[in-house]
Amino acid sequence: MLLTLTTTHQPATDLGYLLHKHPDRLQSFELPFGIAQVFYPVATDSECTMALLLDVNAVDLTRGKQGSNQPSIADYVSDRPYVASSFMSVALSKIFGTAMSGTCNQRPALPSKPLPFRVHIPVLPSRGGEKFLHSLFVPLGYEIQTQRLALDEQFPEWGQSKYFDLELSQTITLAELLSHLYVLMPVLDDAKHYFVNEEEIAKLLRHGTGWLSDHPQREEITRRYLKRQRGLAEEALSQMAGTDAEVLPVNTEISEESEAAIEKPLSLNQQRMLAVVEILKQRGAKRVVDLGCGEGKLLKLLLADASFQEILGMDVTYRSLEIAQRRLKTDRFPNDRLSLIQGSLTYRDDRIAGYDAATVIEVIEHMDLNRLGALERVLFEFAKPRLVIITTPNVEYNANFPALPPGKLRHRDHRFEWTRAEFETWAAGIVDRYNYHVSFQPIGDLDPSRGAPTQMAIFTASA
């Protein structure tokens, strides 16, 4: 089985430093199931390609099988030596472990730099077809090209196989790219060649850091990676929700109530929602998507107004969407104006494109600062609504809350809370990069020196 990795970063031969494998050498590695060879068919300053060729010894695999003395046709006819699967994942981790950790002593700044990469896997199984294949890589920002392979080119009447020729392209760090491949190749194959136990949970969480927790297919990825062992999958998902610092806000009733307890004397949440609805109506928005919709408080107000003809609520957690569904009673009384979907604000999603307006209400402060760039691209570069409304706390006002100790943020899950100047600086960057205009509006009682408790930015696409 073969995997190639190409970059056009210049000098492209920096790929050798990143992978810790010299472009001028052919290197061989003995693995428990065969031999892996690393070589560079192209190595110039303008383009460099690394090839990983894995030769799986099918005879040794059959001899090493346990549990049955009865021969099977699978002992003689097997796709394992020819397709990318968990064998390739193990080879990646064994041969490029240092690269996957993001370490490069000779070029210390290089591993953290996103570079243009192209990955080619000539034969990759996808149990779930082309649609599932795209659902795994497209949310991670990849451009993807696939070609379904025939079962046998000599017998076209046999039809198509479950195997694809896959090419992925993206500007990304090498460590992120290798982690995506490590996790998703066995997920697509929906099989692993080795025993799976609790240690696999740690591997999944380690290689999934920063992307898996808010991937739209995270539950299916987790189940397949852990060979559909229900107990292991539930434990992994539980740990993911509880420990991953880059999960977007859960927005359950508990998390919202804890923040509301501080802001309750002002009925600030209601003021926020009404202010957002008023702006939407003033600007004539008919089709609205609420990103990070939580338990559906804004959605309920939008549904109550017939001028909003199409409403979409998106949240990263199924738990939040279940609460919204109960609150809005759509489980019993479906409403053709409203749809609820699971998705992340940090991955491109064509389902949220084409709306008149997008609202992001009290969400960004739950994100790590280094993830805001991904949100900006998803919202302003790809979805591109003509109107975007974003609200966030004004940290200057916190001193006015008697129940909030000095120096504390309003909610334990807040990663930051901005001053008015910090929020305006961030918004100005969006205006410069994505061709929008912005205005600001305070929400709540105004303090002469500290401003209002909530700050709202209203972005309008330039004509």
Side-chain angles (χ1 to χ4, degrees):
M1 68 187 76
L2 179 68
L3 181 152
T4 63
L5 175 63
T6 300
T7 186
T8 53
H9 158 79
Q10 295 188 15
T13 48
D14 276 351
L15 183 61
Y17 290 105
L18 280 169
L19 293 172
H20 300 265
K21 303 292 180 288
H22 200 287
D24 291 342
R25 295 189 210 144
L26 167 66
Q27 298 185 57
S28 297
F29 303 85
E30 289 191 15
L31 299 171
F33 44 79
I35 301 293
Q37 295 180 318
V38 175
F39 58 96
Y40 291 76
V42 179
T44 68
D45 284 347
S46 59
E47 182 173 319
C48 189
T49 297
M50 180 281 302
L52 173 59
L53 181 64
L54 184 56
D55 184 8
V56 173
N57 192 321
V59 174
D60 283 352
L61 290 180
T62 300
R63 287 173 178 167
K65 288 177 67 175
Q66 311 240 341
S68 175
N69 293 323
Q70 297 298 320
S72 164
I73 191 172
D75 296 339
Y76 302 94
V77 181
S78 172
D79 65 357
R80 297 299 85 182
Y82 312 109
V83 306
S85 64
S86 59
F87 290 105
M88 183 65 84
S89 288
V90 171
L92 286 177
S93 66
K94 296 291 185 184
I95 298 169
F96 302 121
T98 306
M100 292 179 75
S101 70
T103 302
C104 181
N105 292 333
Q106 292 179 294
R107 299 283 194 278
L110 200 56
S112 61
K113 184 178 181 181
L115 304 178
F117 286 112
R118 185 173 70 253
V119 176
H120 182 212
I121 305 175
V123 187
L124 178 70
S126 178
R127 300 179 189 271
E130 187 172 15
K131 184 176 180 181
F132 182 63
L133 182 57
H134 280 254
S135 76
L136 295 186
F137 287 105
V138 171
L140 295 172
Y142 290 95
E143 293 183 10
I144 180 170
Q145 296 181 17
T146 57
Q147 180 181 352
R148 195 160 199 158
L149 304 177
L151 276 173
D152 193 317
E153 293 179 354
Q154 301 300 316
F155 300 94
E157 65 272 17
W158 290 1
Q160 300 296 304
S161 71
K162 65 183 179 185
Y163 305 107
F164 292 83
D165 182 306
L166 172 71
E167 186 171 292
L168 301 169
S169 301
Q170 189 182 182
T171 298
I172 191 173
T173 68
L174 180 62
E176 288 177 311
L177 172 60
L178 294 177
S179 292
H180 295 161
L181 294 174
Y182 175 87
V183 172
L184 296 180
M185 282 190 293
V187 166
L188 282 160
D189 189 39
D190 202 10
K192 279 194 171 181
H193 69 277
Y194 57 88
F195 177 73
V196 169
N197 57 20
E198 288 81 0
E199 293 180 3
E200 288 301 296
I201 296 177
K203 292 180 186 178
L204 177 62
L205 296 180
R206 183 169 70 253
H207 291 291
T209 298
W211 64 272
L212 180 56
S213 63
D214 50 359
H215 193 291
Q217 290 281 4
R218 73 168 183 172
E219 293 187 6
E220 184 66 14
I221 291 170
T222 302
R223 283 193 292 266
R224 290 187 177 213
Y225 184 89
L226 297 170
K227 294 182 75 169
R228 299 188 181 273
Q229 294 191 34
R230 182 175 178 180
L232 295 180
E234 289 179 351
E235 175 62 24
L237 290 167
S238 175
Q239 290 190 38
M240 220 179 292
T243 63
D244 194 325
E246 296 190 10
V247 178
L248 290 180
V250 175
N251 287 337
T252 63
E253 291 171 325
I254 295 174
S255 65
E256 287 193 350
E257 285 176 0
S258 59
E259 186 172 357
I262 294 171
E263 300 176 342
K264 184 177 180 180
L266 298 176
S267 301
L268 187 54
N269 186 61
Q270 189 69 7
Q271 292 183 58
R272 270 194 296 262
M273 300 301 173
L274 293 174
V276 170
V277 171
E278 181 62 25
I279 294 295
L280 292 171
K281 288 176 67 66
Q282 288 176 3
R283 303 298 179 92
K286 304 296 183 185
R287 303 173 66 247
V288 180
V289 54
D290 184 24
L291 302 173
C293 65
E295 61 188 36
K297 291 181 178 179
L298 178 60
L299 299 178
K300 188 173 183 178
L301 290 176
L302 296 176
L303 275 175
D305 191 319
S307 67
F308 299 111
Q309 299 170 1
E310 185 178 344
I311 305 162
L312 176 66
M314 187 178 86
D315 203 90
V316 73
T317 64
Y318 287 107
R319 166 69 173 156
S320 300
L321 295 173
E322 289 171 353
I323 294 172
Q325 191 175 49
R326 291 197 300 271
R327 173 185 288 270
L328 302 171
K329 299 181 175 60
T330 57
D331 52 341
R332 290 178 290 165
F333 308 104
N335 190 316
D336 57 8
R337 293 167 56 213
L338 174 69
S339 300
L340 297 174
I341 61 172
Q342 192 271 340
S344 166
L345 290 184
T346 57
Y347 296 121
R348 180 175 180 174
D349 193 329
D350 291 339
R351 296 175 298 175
I352 66 173
Y355 281 81
D356 298 334
T359 57
V360 187
I361 309 306
E362 304 300 287
V363 169
I364 62 171
E365 62 272 12
H366 293 265
M367 300 175 64
D368 285 337
L369 286 168
N370 62 4
R371 304 292 283 173
L372 290 183
L375 176 146
E376 291 176 22
R377 296 195 66 198
V378 166
L379 186 52
F380 294 96
E381 180 178 348
F382 299 125
K384 294 189 291 190
R386 61 178 175 84
L387 175 68
V388 178
I389 302 174
I390 299 178
T391 74
T392 194
N394 168 22
V395 71
E396 299 169 71
Y397 197 92
N398 285 1
N400 289 29
F401 292 116
L404 190 63
K408 294 290 186 180
L409 302 182
R410 297 186 201 177
H411 189 270
R412 64 179 180 274
D413 188 53
H414 285 185
R415 305 295 192 263
F416 63 89
E417 289 176 2
W418 273 333
T419 64
R420 288 167 289 174
E422 288 170 331
F423 186 45
E424 290 172 11
T425 298
W426 177 68
I430 292 173
V431 167
D432 291 339
R433 289 187 289 274
Y434 300 106
N435 202 26
Y436 276 75
H437 299 295
V438 67
S439 60
F440 299 93
Q441 181 173 316
I443 299 175
D445 293 339
L446 276 171
D447 181 283
S449 59
R450 295 171 179 151
T454 293
Q455 44 192 337
M456 176 167 62
I458 305 159
F459 297 89
T460 307
S462 301

